[in-house]
Amino acid sequence: AEATQQQQQAPSNRITGLKKSPLIELILRRHPQETSVDRLKREYLRTSQDMTVRILKVFLGKKLSYFPDSHFQIMTIADDNVVILPDDMTLALVRRDICDDPMNEVIFHYRIFPKPGIDL
């Protein structure tokens, strides 16, 4: 009985009310025509589905030593159409609204846009 009482009084290391963010699995692949940056060593990612496309660009910039990371363009295919993903969209929304087939992998392609040395 004493052990049970001590366990109940022991402080918890958990933060109450904090939800664990579900994870999303995706493939982040260099666009086939991209030559300005390298491929990632590991294309497969498992990360929080609350991550935004903007944070994914920051990740790419750090991993590939490319600056400014705002030049990355991230896109996916939906119904045979290329969809360029906005910075403020979460990966959960991309999964729900764009890559909505649960049987298919989520595949993102990245490229540099605008191209270096080209003024738009």
Side-chain angles (χ1 to χ4, degrees):
E2 281 185 40
T4 306
Q5 192 174 17
Q6 286 177 346
Q7 285 176 343
Q8 290 174 351
Q9 292 175 352
S12 174
N13 291 338
R14 295 188 180 158
I15 300 171
T16 57
L18 185 64
K19 289 184 187 176
K20 185 177 179 184
S21 174
L23 299 177
I24 186 170
E25 297 175 356
L26 60 101
I27 295 171
L28 187 58
R29 186 171 287 158
R30 184 178 70 172
H31 190 277
Q33 297 171 346
E34 178 57 57
T35 57
S36 301
V37 291
D38 291 329
R39 290 182 171 91
L40 289 171
K41 288 181 182 172
R42 295 184 188 170
E43 294 181 333
Y44 175 82
L45 297 177
R46 184 182 303 141
T47 187
S48 168
Q49 65 180 6
D50 296 331
M51 178 185 278
T52 63
V53 171
R54 175 75 190 112
I55 299 300
L56 205 52
K57 290 179 178 183
V58 171
F59 168 80
L60 280 170
K62 289 182 187 238
K63 282 291 190 182
L64 301 174
S65 303
Y66 185 89
F67 183 82
D69 52 46
S70 60
H71 283 191
F72 280 102
Q73 190 175 61
I74 299 177
M75 62 203 80
T76 191
I77 305 289
D79 299 324
D80 295 326
N81 295 311
V82 174
V83 178
I84 296 171
L85 303 175
D87 282 356
D88 60 345
M89 184 172 260
T90 65
L91 301 183
L93 286 176
V94 174
R95 179 63 166 154
R96 188 191 78 194
D97 297 344
I98 299 172
C99 304
D100 57 357
D101 184 350
M103 299 307 291
N104 287 337
E105 294 177 308
V106 176
I107 300 175
F108 294 163
H109 285 97
Y110 61 88
R111 67 179 178 185
I112 301 300
F113 187 83
K115 292 290 179 206
I118 300 175
D119 292 327
L120 296 176

